Amino acid sequence: ALGLFTGIGLSEAKARETLRNGVLSALLRRAVLQARSALGPTLDKATGTLLYNAAARLRDPKHLGFLVDYIARREILTDLQLSAALEYVRSHPLEPLDVADFERACGVGVCVTPEQIEEAVEAVIGEHRAELLAERYRFNMGLLMGEARSRLRWADGKTIKNEVDLQVLHLLGPKTEADLEKKPKAAKARPAPAEKQKVVVVENGEVGTETRSLLEQLRGEALKFHKPGENYKTEGYVVTPNTMVLLKHHLTITGGQVRTRFPPEPNGILHIGHAKAINFNFGYAKANGGVCFLRYDDTNPEKEEEKYFTAIREMVEWLGYQPYAVTHASDYFDQLYTWALELIRRRVGQAYVCHQKVEEIKGHNPPPSPWRDRPVEESLLLFEDMRKGKFGEGEATLRMKLVMEDGKMDPVAYRVKFTPHHRTGDKWCIYPTYDYTHCLCDSIEHITHSLCTKEFQARRSSYFWLCNALDVYCPVQWEYGRLNLLYTVVSKRKIIRLVETGAVRDWDDPRLFTLTALRRRGFPPEAINNFCARVGVTVAQATMEPHLLEACVREVLNEQAPRAMAVLEPLKVTITNFPAPKALEVLVPNFPADESQGFHKVPFQPTVYIEETDFREEVDKGYKRLAPGQPVGLRHAGYVIAVQNIIKDASGRVIELEVTCTKSDVAEKPKAFIHWVSEPLVCEVRLYERLFLHKNPEDPSEVPGGFLSDLNPDSLRVVRSALVDSSVLSARPFDKFQFERLGYFSVDPDSEEGKMVFNRTVTLKEDPGKA
């Protein structure tokens, strides 16, 4: 085999590399032997290159002999022709191929004369004559080549280049010294940052602009998905005699529109990983002018609750997406049941009723079912008995006859469950499984791109098999890597354990990474979307540090959250020489970097409160805040204060400062300015840290005692008597603020009249100790 491959011009290294690829080497061997039977034992290098490229680039090996025939007959002579031939057979998956149409598409028999090349080049140079004379040899000669080739598709490229060079020399003469000088580079205009580019968007009939996310920009370039109706061009897609008819009908229904779906199970709250799925499904459809369905996979009534349906849709809309339609797998139960009957009847029976127990068919190598070959009529009767409730749970299942990629044999299509369904009531006591339901619901809704996470790759064969077994439209399943975060758990079972043990309050506890928890903590949806965009859509699983998400939160809140002043650990300060007989009003900018966004008023009176940590009795090197002999400025107030007297309680703790104040414009510039409050509101502030101590709390090698043993005892600190300025009085739950010098905070729904509660969303800067 090594000699066979080096005999067609491959280097020994390339031949050995080819031999390591069993599929490629088998195809290439077939191609070479077929060509040698027609041309003799010696093949020239050009023919060998064409044979290698045909074997390496051909998607469907059944066309190999057909293409080798044309190469051997010298009717496909160039790589350009071969590329056209490969594209043609890929675009025409059904046999027989239209030979005349194929030959036209590949330029078979087309002879381009030297005269035709000369005329085409002459015409192109004539169109660019003025620019050529002005720029001379600095003109882009590749442009002339490209335009000439577009006029003579099958002409030899080298011949065209020689003709271009000849005619340019005739027009311009030999190169001069000036022609040899390097052309000065033009300064490039710097484009706006990708995430800030504004694009025109038409939605609900109204034209507006929005900031295009990084992910939306990637979708058109990095993700080379098939076009609607061209499903058959996808690797691994199974083409049947009826495929093209079904695709034509599909295009009639969709009009060539991209259709995706987000299919959550309504048995838990969505988490950060789902945010990526939502962004990908809804965002890919939106970026391509398509639509996305929100389809609840409600096939397991035992675990489904109405609150999950409501919360899922609420989170999708919170992230900024509107479903094209909200559907349920249960909408199609009647059709799915009809198809199950048809699957049993088809040919020798593509499905059968089995009585193996669940524990018998678990694992990777379960024994084959002794009922696999039972008669079709028997399976039909038994399936009807399942529907009528004559079998108990676990006594019978309907299984499909196929082997999946991971070796799993005959996946279950239906099982018995005597649980009323929230939408269909007691109508059914048999319910379809994911393996049976998902692809058929995609088919019914004419989904073009069924986007799912990598763990579903093993189900791709069953996805294609089932649609084709029933002879219905078959979408394409595409897999991408999941998004995981360190220092957290997201499984429903584990979150329930956290709630039951009192480690967290509920599903929306701000220490969790469910979407409801992130909303409650104050994470803006735009930040979550930006984070998903930066992670990107890769095949590999992405496990990210939480601080990367927090960085996205800071970026958004820096522009969205108005400033306010709050004090977590108050120290009373009395100004003994207050400059007015009554309280003053201070104008504070909502956004100090952009005062055009307005101001709010805060009272300033003789008694103010500062942070305990902003005062020290003794000054250390580098300490710049308030101390005896070291004045500080009060932010926004226009005054500098200096310590006059320190008042302590019986234990020696400082409880009050008496100070004097001086206007900032006459006082010596202080080393620092500190925040303060006056006539403040008393509020509760909840300060959150990571819930777990280790990066992977579910990893036994990292946390041998299990995730419940890894809880951070300092994950929540409650400050019950914090003070905040009165500008926040009218705030509502989920309103967000930057408390100056402290961090970003969000109003918690626990807030009541007279007692506001704030959650710290993130600190102003990343804590380097957490990196």
Side-chain angles (χ1 to χ4, degrees):
L2 185 65
L4 191 69
F5 293 167
T6 55
I8 61 168
L10 295 186
S11 67
E12 184 172 333
K14 186 69 175 176
R16 290 188 184 281
E17 180 188 326
T18 303
L19 283 169
R20 286 196 290 271
N21 184 330
V23 175
L24 174 58
S25 59
L27 290 176
L28 184 57
R29 181 183 176 85
R30 272 175 52 196
V32 172
L33 293 177
Q34 181 182 336
R36 282 172 58 170
S37 68
L39 298 173
T42 305
L43 301 178
D44 61 82
K45 187 172 181 180
T47 302
T49 301
L50 288 172
L51 293 173
Y52 180 86
N53 287 339
R57 292 159 57 191
L58 186 63
R59 286 270 180 88
D60 191 344
K62 71 182 178 186
H63 294 300
L64 183 65
F66 177 78
L67 294 181
V68 171
D69 229 14
Y70 276 89
I71 295 170
R73 294 203 306 264
R74 313 287 192 191
E75 292 179 328
I76 289 180
L77 291 164
T78 66
D79 192 64
L80 190 66
Q81 283 184 292
L82 179 62
S83 294
L86 290 167
E87 176 58 30
Y88 187 91
V89 297
R90 191 163 72 99
S91 303
H92 297 76
L94 298 183
E95 298 285 2
L97 291 174
D98 184 330
V99 173
D101 190 44
F102 170 81
E103 292 182 351
R104 273 194 301 274
C106 303
V108 171
V110 176
C111 179
V112 182
T113 66
E115 292 76 19
Q116 287 174 310
I117 293 175
E118 184 180 345
E119 287 173 9
V121 172
E122 190 175 323
V124 170
I125 287 179
E127 291 173 7
H128 295 280
R129 183 182 178 84
E131 301 101 300
L132 269 165
L133 290 172
E135 296 185 37
R136 291 182 56 77
Y137 285 99
R138 290 177 177 176
F139 184 82
N140 179 9
M141 302 303 171
L143 178 65
L144 305 179
M145 280 284 299
E147 291 190 12
R149 291 205 71 159
S150 68
R151 298 178 185 217
L152 301 169
R153 184 180 178 191
W154 305 114
D156 178 65
K158 287 183 181 177
T159 308
I160 291 179
K161 185 179 186 306
N162 291 338
E163 186 62 33
V164 168
D165 291 345
L166 186 65
Q167 291 198 31
V168 169
L169 180 65
H170 181 70
L171 176 67
L172 303 179
K175 288 184 178 179
T176 64
E177 285 188 20
D179 293 325
L180 296 173
E181 290 178 9
K182 286 188 176 181
K183 185 177 180 179
K185 289 185 177 180
K188 291 183 179 179
R190 294 185 67 181
E195 288 174 275
K196 300 294 181 185
Q197 291 177 358
K198 297 285 183 178
V199 292
V200 176
V201 177
V202 180
E203 200 165 302
N204 300 325
E206 295 181 5
V207 179
T209 61
E210 67 170 21
T211 300
R212 183 171 60 178
S213 75
L214 178 62
L215 187 58
E216 283 181 319
Q217 295 173 63
L218 281 174
R219 286 181 190 113
E221 297 299 322
L223 301 174
K224 302 299 183 184
F225 287 163
H226 69 282
K227 294 177 182 177
E230 295 186 354
N231 305 28
Y232 56 87
K233 290 188 177 181
T234 306
E235 189 141 10
Y237 191 82
V238 179
V239 176
T240 71
N242 205 26
T243 293
M244 304 311 283
V245 174
L246 291 167
L247 287 174
K248 186 176 180 181
H249 177 63
H250 159 73
L251 287 174
T252 302
I253 290 172
T254 65
Q257 186 179 49
V258 166
R259 286 189 170 198
T260 61
R261 82 289 165 270
F262 174 55
E265 295 177 73
N267 62 3
I269 298 296
L270 301 182
H271 54 70
I272 187 68
H274 291 112
K276 178 178 178 179
I278 292 168
N279 269 278
F280 193 13
N281 277 286
F282 282 91
Y284 181 74
K286 182 177 179 180
N288 291 280
V291 297
C292 182
F293 291 73
L294 169 58
R295 185 205 308 141
Y296 295 107
D297 180 23
D298 57 342
T299 57
N300 191 355
E302 291 175 333
K303 298 182 179 180
E304 294 156 7
E305 295 181 41
E306 187 59 39
K307 68 177 181 180
Y308 297 137
F309 287 85
T310 304
I312 286 170
R313 180 164 186 176
E314 194 176 315
M315 288 300 99
V316 168
E317 293 177 350
W318 176 66
L319 288 177
Y321 296 107
Q322 281 294 329
Y324 168 70
V326 177
T327 60
H328 304 73
S330 56
D331 295 339
Y332 312 120
F333 276 179
D334 288 321
Q335 178 63 69
L336 295 173
Y337 177 74
T338 300
W339 274 336
L341 294 173
E342 188 175 336
L343 198 62
I344 298 170
R345 293 190 191 104
R346 284 205 164 220
R347 299 180 218 160
V348 293
Q350 298 282 34
Y352 63 94
V353 173
C354 174
H355 304 290
Q356 284 179 297
K357 303 296 181 189
V358 174
E359 52 273 15
E360 290 181 70
I361 58 177
K362 274 186 176 178
H364 286 289
N365 294 299
S369 171
W371 294 278
R372 195 171 199 264
D373 297 317
R374 77 187 327 159
V376 167
E377 294 75 15
E378 192 175 305
S379 281
L380 286 170
L381 289 170
L382 292 171
F383 189 49
E384 179 65 10
D385 287 345
M386 285 172 62
R387 189 185 71 81
K388 290 178 178 178
K390 294 183 179 179
F391 286 103
E393 293 188 14
E395 291 181 0
T397 58
L398 183 70
R399 295 176 68 182
M400 298 176 280
K401 284 188 182 179
L402 78 148
V403 179
M404 298 165 75
E405 277 104 326
D406 59 359
K408 184 180 176 183
M409 190 173 184
D410 296 359
V412 172
Y414 271 86
R415 70 278 205 216
V416 176
K417 284 185 182 292
F418 293 106
T419 304
H421 192 277
H422 72 288
R423 297 185 75 241
T424 60
D426 293 324
K427 179 177 179 180
W428 300 95
C429 65
I430 55 170
Y431 292 99
T433 61
Y434 175 92
D435 287 325
Y436 178 77
T437 306
H438 190 72
C439 60
L440 296 180
C441 289
D442 282 353
S443 178
I444 292 168
E445 293 176 352
H446 282 272
I447 301 304
T448 56
H449 300 77
S450 183
L451 309 173
C452 57
T453 47
K454 191 71 176 170
E455 66 263 32
F456 291 100
Q457 185 169 346
R459 290 174 156 103
R460 193 198 290 186
S461 60
S462 69
Y463 188 105
F464 292 157
W465 176 90
L466 184 52
C467 288
N468 291 326
L470 289 168
D471 207 17
V472 296
Y473 160 70
C474 183
V476 177
Q477 176 174 305
W478 290 94
E479 302 91 13
Y480 59 91
R482 285 180 60 144
L483 168 60
N484 295 319
L485 274 187
L486 299 172
Y487 297 100
T488 190
V489 298
V490 294
S491 89
K492 178 188 175 186
R493 182 175 57 82
K494 288 175 181 172
I495 291 176
I496 288 173
R497 290 284 295 126
L498 290 171
V499 174
E500 288 173 345
T501 57
V504 298
R505 290 174 55 183
D506 208 338
W507 286 83
D508 64 349
D509 187 296
R511 289 167 289 181
L512 297 173
F513 281 86
T514 60
L515 294 185
T516 50
L518 295 179
R519 179 179 63 170
R520 185 165 190 168
R521 184 159 173 170
F523 281 37
E526 302 92 327
I528 295 172
N529 293 343
N530 291 346
F531 174 65
C532 293
R534 291 180 185 180
V535 170
V537 181
T538 59
V539 175
Q541 180 170 292
T543 301
M544 311 299 290
E545 291 271 5
H547 70 78
L548 300 173
L549 172 58
E550 291 169 1
C552 293
V553 171
R554 290 186 187 95
E555 284 179 12
V556 172
L557 290 183
N558 185 50
E559 296 185 358
Q560 288 186 358
R563 279 35 170 183
M565 291 191 288
V567 172
L568 301 187
E569 296 174 340
L571 174 60
K572 184 179 179 181
V573 175
T574 301
I575 302 172
T576 58
N577 65 335
F578 193 73
K582 60 180 182 177
L584 300 175
E585 278 191 339
V586 174
L587 279 180
V588 177
N590 295 326
F591 294 87
D594 181 9
E595 293 189 353
S596 67
Q597 295 198 55
F599 294 78
H600 60 272
K601 295 177 180 178
V602 296
F604 179 44
Q605 61 174 12
T607 299
V608 299
Y609 297 88
I610 66 171
E611 290 284 358
E612 275 191 355
T613 53
D614 280 341
F615 170 75
R616 286 187 191 172
E617 289 188 76
E618 296 181 8
V619 178
D620 296 332
K621 185 179 180 182
Y623 180 77
K624 296 180 179 181
R625 283 164 281 169
L626 186 62
Q630 182 166 291
V632 294
L634 296 178
R635 282 182 65 78
H636 310 299
Y639 287 91
V640 174
I641 59 171
V643 176
Q644 184 183 33
N645 187 31
I646 302 170
I647 301 171
K648 300 181 181 181
D649 64 12
S651 66
R653 178 173 169 266
V654 177
I655 57 171
E656 185 180 349
L657 301 175
E658 291 179 344
V659 302
T660 57
C661 71
T662 309
K663 286 189 70 69
S664 300
D665 53 3
V666 296
E668 185 179 338
K669 185 178 179 181
K671 290 184 178 180
F673 286 81
I674 63 173
H675 64 279
W676 53 276
V677 291
S678 186
E679 289 187 32
L681 306 173
V682 178
C683 64
E684 179 179 306
V685 173
R686 297 168 181 172
L687 305 173
Y688 296 99
E689 300 291 346
R690 289 176 181 156
L691 182 59
F692 295 100
L693 298 170
H694 291 81
K695 285 187 174 184
N696 301 292
E698 298 171 275
D699 185 348
S701 63
E702 201 169 325
V703 185
F707 72 99
L708 288 176
S709 71
D710 195 46
L711 293 169
N712 176 7
D714 301 318
S715 63
L716 171 61
R717 180 164 74 91
V718 179
V719 181
R720 302 195 184 279
S721 297
L723 304 177
V724 61
D725 74 50
S726 56
S727 66
V728 305
L729 183 60
S730 60
R732 296 289 175 263
F734 306 119
D735 284 354
K736 298 162 185 62
F737 299 91
Q738 183 195 109
F739 290 169
E740 297 199 35
R741 298 177 63 223
L742 296 179
Y744 294 100
F745 292 77
S746 177
V747 181
D748 189 88
D750 284 346
S751 296
E752 299 174 349
E753 187 76 34
K755 186 63 178 284
M756 299 185 75
V757 178
F758 289 91
N759 295 317
R760 184 172 66 189
T761 306
V762 287
T763 54
L764 290 179
K765 294 181 180 178
E766 181 191 336
D767 184 346
K770 295 179 186 175

